[in-house]
Amino acid sequence: MRHSSTKVPLTTAGKAASSTAPRTWTSYEDARSSSAGVGLGFVLNGDGIVCIDLDHAIAPDGSLKPWAEDIVTAAGATYTEVSASGEGLHVFGYADVRQGRRIRREGGYAVEVYGTGRFIAMTNRPFRGAPSVLADTSSLVRRLTA
């Protein structure tokens, strides 16, 4: 998919798209070659790829907040990118997540874990030289959702 400047999912023709309507999705190659909107997006469709969304994880000085550092370290060598806000991270990996969750943690922060029915506005800004491969993040997801 593509997305607007406000992270609304778009088709390659620039029309409204949906994370739950496969007819509005396309291949990576077609999305990349489209000029609709301002960037690429990814649909989590239940195929085992998950996104751990860490909002407000990056401190003003560019360092990771301790709670986020713990999660990134536990995720291991997997694709992680800086979110569109520049203050968060998207940690991608493999796990079985049938229902997304927003998990409020001690300390006032929240972590979101999604595996299906969600759209992620991609930035292609790898965090700390993250690899372009996905790791098994099952144990981390279990820990976060316990």
Side-chain angles (χ1 to χ4, degrees):
M1 294 179 133
R2 301 287 299 178
H3 68 85
S4 71
S5 61
T6 57
K7 300 192 277 187
V8 172
L10 300 172
T11 67
T12 55
K15 297 186 186 288
S18 170
S19 63
T20 59
R23 71 183 185 292
T24 65
W25 308 348
T26 192
S27 69
Y28 169 75
E29 292 79 18
D30 287 347
R32 191 181 73 187
S33 66
S34 171
S35 61
V38 298
L40 293 172
F42 184 77
V43 175
L44 297 165
N45 65 10
D47 66 356
I49 297 175
V50 299
C51 179
I52 303 168
D53 189 5
L54 309 178
D55 289 335
H56 310 292
I58 302 174
D61 67 1
S63 67
L64 274 187
K65 294 180 181 177
W67 63 267
E69 185 72 54
D70 177 55
I71 293 169
V72 169
T73 299
T78 195
Y79 183 69
T80 301
E81 70 171 24
V82 177
S83 66
S85 71
E87 297 176 357
L89 295 175
H90 297 146
V91 180
F92 287 88
Y94 292 109
D96 183 17
V97 176
R98 298 194 191 282
Q99 184 171 348
R101 293 184 58 187
R102 180 176 173 89
I103 305 143
R104 295 199 185 280
R105 308 301 288 184
E106 193 172 311
Y109 66 91
V111 175
E112 295 170 84
V113 180
Y114 299 112
T116 190
R118 287 292 182 152
F119 170 81
I120 308 295
M122 303 294 292
T123 64
N124 195 29
R125 292 179 12 213
F127 180 71
R128 291 185 183 162
S132 59
V133 296
L134 302 182
D136 182 348
T137 55
S138 297
S139 62
L140 172 59
V141 167
R142 279 192 300 275
R143 187 184 95 192
L144 291 171
T145 58

